[in-house]
Amino acid sequence: MSKLSSVKRFMRSRSGRGFLLHLGVCAILSAGVGYGFHYFSLNWFVEHKSGEKIIALRLVDAFVTNYSAIRSQFGQNAPVPASFRAHAIEAFNKRAPDNSDFRLRSVGRPGREIVTPPTDARMAEVIEAFAATPNPKAVSELLDINGEQMFRTVYPTVAQEQSCVSCHNSLQPGKAQWHLNDVMGAFAIDVPVSPFLRTVMWQSSGIGVGLFLALALAGLIISLIHFRQLEALNAGAAELGRTQNFLDTIIENMPVSIAVKDARDQCYVLLNRTAEAIFGMVRGDLIGKHVNDPSNKEVAEALFPRGGEASHTGDLQVIDEHVVDTHHNGKRVLATKNLSIADEIGEPRYLLSVSEDITERKQAEARIEHLAHHDTLTDLPNRAAFSEHLARVIEMARRGGESFAVLSLDLDRFKEVNDVFGHAVGDDLLCEFSRMLRELAGDAFLARLGGDEFVLITPNGDQPALAEAIARGLLEAVATNLEINGQHLRVGISIGVAIFPDDGADATTLLNNADAALYRAKTAGRGTTRFFEVEMDNRLRERRAIQHELSSAIARNELHLYYQPQAKIGGEVIGFEALIRWNNPQRGMVSPATFIPIAEESGLIMHIGEWVLREACREAASWPQPLQIAVNLSPIQFRHGDLVALVHSVLLETGLAPVRLELEITEGVLVEDFARGLSILRRLKALGVRIAMDDFGTGYSSLSYLQAFPFDKIKIDQSFISNLKSNPQSAAIVCAVVGLARGLNLPVLAEGVETRAQLDFLAAESCDEVQGYLVGRPHPIAEYSKLIGRLDTIDEKMRSA
């Protein structure tokens, strides 16, 4: 197949077409040579044979003439010359073989012949022509006689002696008489030409064919050599073309402007597509034009900035940044490299300019620089910018002996806005609040540190009067309803103030003290301003110390679980709730109300919550009685980590039946991220564990949660139970919750039951379960050994001891 393809390529090439033309010329030349050989061979035959025959006939005439001269010497009976000649011819023909090409005959003139007349009309015409010619000469010609090619030579016989005339006249007295020098007839020789013609035909054909083949072979060899040379040239040209196309494509599509001008005539040589796009020109209008053309002078300066310098030095010239004003795309920032390209003798030949449009990169760098120091949501300076600015302000104030204040601001009830209206509304609120603060701040430096936490640095001035005036203005400005996306929101701010240098001589101390004052303002009821006091610092230090000590409490075995019984309304204990206690060596028993919020804020609750779950399940799995164990989960555990995988692994590790584990959650789990919280609860439910809603009634959307997820139990918060006697609203809420749960076919557990009156009230309302001091206080599980079925084991140990 490849050979056939090669033949096709050869025949379609110039070499193949030339070879075909060569074959045509060879055919014509070979035919001409063959025909010429045939023609010249035939002429040679005619001339050669004609000469032979004429010489022979002349010899016969000479012999007869001589004989006539000496005939008298042979006596009166000697044959007459004519008879002698006839006999001589007859004797000659008899001795000649049958295939001889020499047949001699003597014929008479028509009407005067003695013995033999002409054999055909053509011979008679020739003899008559002899008679009409004064000096007749022999005639030789090719004739077709009876379908056979013959070569005939006719030689005239003339009566040159009187004896011959007299003899002939006596032999034919009734015919016309002969006279001296009359044409009496002719000698005729007919030679067959066909054998010679066949030989000549074969020879001329062979010569023509041989010549054609030789010339064709030579032409084929030359054509093949030429074809191979052409193919090599074409391959090289194709490779060169592909390389050229590749380079053209690369240059054309490079994302940088490439411009080349001739260093000699200063005309544009090359411009790529990117150059057109950057500078807003059509390269067809520039290629071949002089760079000093007035109509393109601005483009020339933009394409080759400081090009003369590069041509003069011959070194690579790098221009990191330069601005070009384009008519179609405004100002663009370019980074350009100019390079002078020398010719073979080292003289400048071309000037190459490569320009990259770095406008977007510079803008991106500016944006990155801006984002590095500004908040993405509000566009206020961020913590990094605040830290830098605070350091500068402290240094200036320290050198000038001046004073300024740091105001730490926090939005009140911002979490509720996020929970109720969603994070989108919360973000819009932050943006609007930032706008208001920016307008009110004046010359003060305002920054957002994160979430709803803002900070403001006042100008230098009379402190704390200036700080108090600014804080008062901020409180009054935000003490109104804000309309965000059609929602009327009432928010406020709490402000903590620290004064330099009284409340801190460095940035860290100053900001920490402002945060401490803010914490005091929020705990004091929000919507207020608090200036830093030493007691605040002490409380803040105490809080941080507790966080630090709590981080290693598990490793030091300072955390313990206490268990509080949960019972049916009739008094039957059905399970326990695991409650964490911290026995600090220095502080003693630390209340969960103190360290749990700190653990949640710091993230330690993840580690502590896992320990509580594992320890409670391990303990419950060892009870002889299959009582339930309730464990509280923090909303933080739902937001971070894989809670479902943790519960599953703990159940497998401890061997506790899933149905015995009851996980207590608060509404915060669903408020913060409803979809995620609901998904996790469903996966926990699929493990077989029970889910209880803790502190029910203290939130604002519990009914929607009960509709969205099938809880196994509702726990009424102890704040309602403790006020049953003194607060009719609490009693009404408890009745409503119990009725709601009964309608939903859910068991209800009341927390904080401490008196018999509370128990009776709950029994009257058909509450299912109770928990509180009336049933049992939180104690180590050893205090409830009898309830969990370990009493016999303890007695056996005592007896064995």
Side-chain angles (χ1 to χ4, degrees):
M1 200 67 178
S2 60
K3 292 183 178 180
L4 182 60
S5 176
S6 299
V7 172
K8 289 183 178 179
R9 288 202 318 274
F10 171 71
M11 297 308 296
R12 292 173 181 173
S13 66
R14 286 186 297 168
S15 300
R17 294 193 296 270
F19 176 67
L20 293 178
L21 179 61
H22 173 75
L23 288 181
V25 174
C26 289
I28 296 173
L29 181 61
S30 300
V33 170
Y35 176 77
F37 177 79
H38 181 273
Y39 175 79
F40 287 113
S41 296
L42 193 58
N43 284 345
W44 172 86
F45 179 83
V46 170
E47 292 177 2
H48 180 70
K49 291 296 182 181
S50 174
E52 286 182 350
K53 306 307 184 287
I54 292 171
I55 291 172
L57 295 176
R58 285 177 177 171
L59 290 174
V60 172
D61 278 348
F63 178 79
V64 173
T65 301
N66 292 329
Y67 174 72
S68 298
I70 63 173
R71 175 177 175 274
S72 59
Q73 297 177 11
F74 296 102
Q76 293 296 324
N77 295 323
V80 296
S83 299
F84 176 78
R85 182 170 53 186
H87 291 303
I89 292 172
E90 182 178 358
F92 172 78
N93 287 333
K94 286 181 179 179
R95 289 192 301 270
D98 293 336
N99 58 353
S100 174
D101 63 349
F102 193 84
R103 290 290 178 180
L104 177 63
R105 65 171 60 88
S106 177
V107 295
R109 183 178 176 189
R112 296 185 179 186
E113 67 272 5
I114 301 175
V115 177
T116 306
T119 58
D120 51 56
R122 176 58 186 162
M123 187 180 292
E125 291 177 3
V126 172
I127 295 173
E128 287 298 324
F130 288 160
T133 302
N135 296 306
K137 299 185 181 297
V139 175
S140 296
E141 59 182 340
L142 292 173
L143 298 174
D144 186 356
I145 301 175
N146 297 325
E148 184 180 4
Q149 285 287 326
M150 301 293 289
F151 178 70
R152 171 179 293 174
T153 299
V154 180
Y155 183 81
T157 55
V158 182
Q160 295 179 348
E161 293 187 12
Q162 186 60 44
S163 61
C164 292
V165 173
S166 300
C167 179
H168 282 81
N169 288 335
S170 63
L171 291 176
Q172 41 187 5
K175 296 184 180 181
Q177 296 297 301
W178 293 98
H179 300 89
L180 191 63
N181 293 326
D182 282 347
V183 176
M184 297 184 297
F187 291 109
I189 302 175
D190 287 335
V191 178
V193 183
S194 295
F196 176 77
L197 289 179
R198 283 194 296 271
T199 301
V200 171
M201 183 63 70
W202 280 108
Q203 289 176 344
S204 60
S205 298
I207 291 173
V209 171
L211 179 62
F212 174 79
L213 292 177
L215 293 176
L217 180 59
L220 179 61
I221 293 173
I222 295 173
S223 298
L224 287 176
I225 294 174
H226 184 256
F227 174 69
R228 289 174 182 172
Q229 292 175 343
L230 283 180
E231 284 224 315
L233 291 175
N234 291 336
E239 183 63 27
L240 183 61
R242 284 193 295 270
T243 303
Q244 183 66 39
N245 291 335
F246 173 75
L247 294 176
D248 291 344
T249 303
I250 294 298
I251 293 175
E252 183 69 11
N253 293 281
M254 286 185 69
V256 294
S257 166
I258 297 180
V260 179
K261 70 176 181 180
D262 195 311
R264 297 174 181 173
D265 58 16
Q266 295 295 305
C267 290
Y268 295 104
V269 176
L270 182 146
L271 295 169
N272 69 346
R273 184 186 305 166
T274 305
E276 286 185 311
I278 292 177
F279 299 102
M281 46 72 179
V282 179
R283 51 185 152 179
D285 297 338
L286 293 179
I287 300 296
K289 298 290 185 63
H290 198 278
V291 295
N292 293 328
D293 190 332
S295 61
N296 300 311
K297 188 174 182 180
E298 294 182 359
V299 175
E301 294 176 354
L303 283 172
F304 299 96
R306 294 160 53 186
E309 180 181 339
S311 299
H312 179 71
T313 62
D315 298 329
L316 177 65
Q317 180 188 53
V318 179
I319 306 174
D320 293 329
E321 290 184 23
H322 65 99
V323 179
V324 174
D325 192 0
T326 63
H327 67 275
H328 71 296
N329 205 17
K331 294 185 180 297
R332 310 299 293 177
V333 181
L334 304 182
T336 300
K337 294 181 180 179
N338 294 328
L339 179 63
S340 178
I341 302 174
D343 58 13
E344 60 275 3
I345 62 175
E347 294 295 326
R349 185 67 181 91
Y350 299 104
L351 179 62
L352 169 66
S353 178
V354 179
S355 299
E356 180 183 4
D357 189 347
I358 60 173
T359 307
E360 284 74 17
R361 189 178 75 192
K362 299 298 292 184
Q363 293 173 350
E365 290 175 355
R367 285 195 298 271
I368 292 172
E369 178 67 20
H370 182 80
L371 290 175
H373 293 85
H374 289 79
D375 175 55
T376 57
L377 178 63
T378 63
D379 203 37
L380 290 176
N382 58 12
R383 185 179 295 274
F386 166 76
S387 299
E388 294 175 3
H389 183 77
L390 181 58
R392 290 194 299 269
V393 171
I394 289 175
E395 182 63 25
M396 293 173 60
R398 184 179 291 118
R399 289 199 304 264
E402 298 179 339
S403 177
F404 65 91
V406 174
L407 279 66
S408 184
L409 297 81
D410 192 84
L411 271 175
D412 296 333
R413 293 180 294 277
F414 179 69
K415 182 177 181 300
E416 295 179 8
V417 173
N418 268 341
D419 294 343
V420 175
F421 301 103
H423 292 283
V425 174
D427 290 345
D428 292 340
L429 173 61
L430 288 175
C431 292
E432 179 63 20
F433 182 66
S434 301
R435 185 191 62 78
M436 293 175 58
L437 291 180
R438 193 182 290 111
E439 293 178 356
L440 296 169
D443 295 335
F445 180 83
L446 177 66
R448 180 191 178 204
L449 302 187
D452 59 343
E453 182 182 357
F454 297 82
V455 67
L456 186 145
I457 301 176
T458 68
N460 295 331
D462 184 18
Q463 303 297 344
L466 179 58
E468 185 176 2
I470 293 176
R472 187 186 311 112
L474 293 174
L475 290 174
E476 292 175 356
V478 299
T480 58
N481 289 339
L482 297 178
E483 184 176 349
I484 305 296
N485 293 339
Q487 303 290 338
H488 292 277
L489 307 177
R490 185 174 182 82
V491 296
I493 58 172
S494 297
I495 304 175
V497 184
I499 307 297
F500 175 86
D502 298 338
D503 299 332
D506 59 84
T508 302
T509 303
L510 198 61
L511 186 59
N512 288 341
N513 290 342
D515 288 339
L518 174 63
Y519 181 77
R520 181 65 180 276
K522 295 183 78 68
T523 57
R526 301 179 179 179
T528 60
T529 301
R530 289 289 183 272
F531 284 78
F532 175 74
E533 299 173 0
V534 176
E535 294 80 8
M536 297 179 186
D537 184 47
N538 294 335
R539 284 192 293 271
L540 184 59
R541 292 177 184 274
E542 178 71 9
R543 185 179 181 86
R544 290 173 178 167
I546 291 175
Q547 178 180 333
H548 176 71
E549 295 169 7
L550 184 60
S551 63
S552 59
I554 296 177
R556 295 196 302 265
N557 294 320
E558 296 176 4
L559 297 181
H560 307 281
L561 288 184
Y562 279 30
Y563 297 85
Q564 186 174 25
Q566 296 177 337
K568 293 286 188 181
I569 196 67
E572 177 189 357
V573 175
I574 58 174
F576 292 87
E577 180 179 1
L579 302 172
I580 189 170
R581 295 293 184 266
W582 181 18
N583 187 7
N584 187 278
Q586 288 77 31
R587 304 175 188 275
M589 294 297 292
V590 183
S591 170
T594 300
F595 71 83
I596 290 297
I598 296 176
E600 289 184 329
E601 291 178 7
S602 63
L604 293 172
I605 193 65
M606 296 295 297
H607 191 37
I608 294 173
E610 180 179 347
W611 178 85
V612 170
L613 179 64
R614 181 172 280 104
E615 184 65 19
C617 290
R618 183 195 60 77
E619 174 62 38
S622 68
W623 297 343
Q625 294 294 331
L627 301 177
Q628 293 182 355
I629 182 69
V631 178
N632 288 283
L633 295 179
S634 169
I636 306 299
Q637 292 176 275
F638 279 77
R639 290 200 298 266
H640 306 286
D642 192 345
L643 179 60
V644 179
L646 173 63
V647 173
H648 189 207
S649 65
V650 168
L651 291 173
L652 293 175
E653 177 185 330
T654 60
L656 180 68
V659 72
R660 294 179 58 195
L661 176 61
E662 184 174 272
L663 301 176
E664 296 185 1
I665 68 165
T666 61
E667 293 177 351
V669 169
L670 297 174
V671 167
E672 294 181 359
D673 191 341
F674 181 79
R676 174 180 171 83
L678 189 60
S679 173
I680 294 175
L681 288 177
R682 287 173 176 167
R683 292 167 60 197
L684 289 172
K685 185 83 170 177
L687 295 177
V689 302
R690 297 166 59 82
I691 308 295
M693 172 67 79
D694 196 11
D695 299 337
F696 188 80
T698 58
Y700 46 84
S701 58
S702 302
L703 297 181
S704 63
Y705 301 148
L706 294 178
Q707 183 182 15
F709 183 78
F711 288 94
D712 297 293
K713 184 184 293 184
I714 295 176
K715 297 185 71 175
I716 302 176
D717 188 65
Q718 61 181 352
S719 62
F720 298 109
I721 305 302
S722 62
N723 293 328
L724 282 177
K725 186 176 181 180
S726 61
N727 192 337
Q729 286 81 8
S730 296
I733 291 174
V734 171
C735 294
V737 172
V738 173
L740 175 65
R742 187 182 303 111
L744 296 174
N745 197 25
L746 291 177
V748 178
L749 185 147
E751 296 180 306
V753 179
E754 299 180 356
T755 65
R756 187 69 190 181
Q758 293 172 346
L759 181 63
D760 292 340
F761 178 86
L762 294 171
E765 294 298 327
S766 301
C767 182
D768 301 283
E769 301 170 8
V770 292
Q771 177 182 344
Y773 289 173
L774 184 63
V775 179
R777 291 176 178 270
H779 288 295
I781 196 61
E783 298 291 332
Y784 297 107
S785 297
K786 185 175 181 179
L787 291 177
I788 63 175
R790 286 182 180 169
L791 184 60
D792 295 339
T793 304
I794 294 175
D795 291 342
E796 289 177 2
K797 289 182 178 180
M798 293 178 62
R799 286 195 295 269
S800 65

